[in-house]
Amino acid sequence: AAAAAAAAPGADYQDVDRHNARDRPLGAVERECHLMQMDSPGFVKYFKHLYHQADPECHTQGQPRRKLVYIKTHKSGSSTLTNIFHRFARKHRLRLVLPADNLFLGWPYDNLQNAYQPYGDTDTYDVLCSGHTRYNYDKIRKLVPDAKYVTIMRDPVPHFLSSYSHWHVSDHLVFN
């Protein structure tokens, strides 16, 4: 047993060093690059995982989180992330809050009543990510209780310029 414990660090991190779609082990240079970029808490979590130690900060213990609310931010990669969350929900058979009109979940108002398509025999869901909505914690938590909340923040200046261009704001300005 002592020999097995002593050999664990020499296991070359193979049980966690799988990186791409082909699931090949990282090479020595790639592994060192990944390890050098970790901060101290990152290393601690890495070694806890390596030695199969429970981490009290991670209550899911390697299992995917099943309750999620994603508030979209225009012109910040939000449609791409929404697509990823949709695929995740499908893969894990999670119940999505789906906008009744396929696009807006109560937006521009914060009234969610009649804004989503109810299904099944419950009023709670697992994931809200499918529509443009306004953040209202009290109303959203009734639909997706015990969820983690996610959004994307973007540097305001490039975000403004991207939005200005995308929506052709200059075409709507009138100067006298």
Side-chain angles (χ1 to χ4, degrees):
D12 248 356
Y13 309 113
Q14 290 177 5
D15 57 337
V16 292
D17 279 348
R18 306 250 175 222
H19 190 60
N20 65 17
R22 292 185 303 265
D23 198 33
R24 68 167 174 79
L26 291 174
V29 173
E30 291 172 308
R31 180 174 48 253
E32 287 305 312
C33 181
H34 280 290
L35 293 175
M36 287 174 59
Q37 293 178 36
M38 282 188 188
D39 59 3
S40 183
F43 264 113
V44 171
K45 290 174 187 253
Y46 177 79
F47 285 115
K48 283 181 178 179
H49 175 77
L50 181 67
Y51 297 125
H52 307 289
Q53 300 280 327
D55 185 349
E57 288 185 15
C58 182
H59 77 280
T60 59
Q61 294 301 321
Q63 298 301 311
R65 185 164 294 285
R66 304 290 180 168
K67 296 282 191 167
L68 170 79
V69 170
Y70 173 54
I71 305 297
K72 291 181 73 167
T73 303
H74 294 287
K75 303 305 298 164
S76 62
S78 60
S79 294
T80 300
L81 194 51
T82 296
N83 192 312
I84 292 168
F85 288 142
H86 283 159
R87 290 168 189 260
F88 177 82
R90 181 174 181 256
K91 176 180 179 181
H92 295 285
R93 299 180 169 269
L94 302 178
R95 294 169 40 89
L96 285 158
V97 179
L98 299 172
D101 70 357
N102 298 330
L103 186 60
F104 299 108
L105 193 60
W107 186 88
Y109 313 104
D110 67 358
N111 182 8
L112 296 177
Q113 187 174 358
N114 300 323
Y116 63 94
Q117 182 65 49
Y119 59 92
D121 57 356
T122 182
D123 291 331
T124 62
Y125 298 85
D126 301 311
V127 178
L128 183 152
C129 69
S130 301
H132 297 284
T133 191
R134 287 183 53 195
Y135 177 76
N136 182 320
Y137 179 75
D138 292 330
K139 293 180 180 181
I140 292 173
R141 77 174 175 173
K142 290 178 184 175
L143 285 174
V144 188
D146 303 317
K148 285 294 182 181
Y149 288 70
V150 178
T151 193
I152 295 176
M153 302 297 288
R154 184 173 171 191
D155 185 323
V157 173
H159 189 209
F160 173 80
L161 294 172
S162 175
S163 298
Y164 187 92
S165 173
H166 177 76
W167 286 306
H168 304 280
V169 174
S170 61
D171 295 345
H172 304 284
L173 297 176
V174 177
F175 296 102
N176 293 330

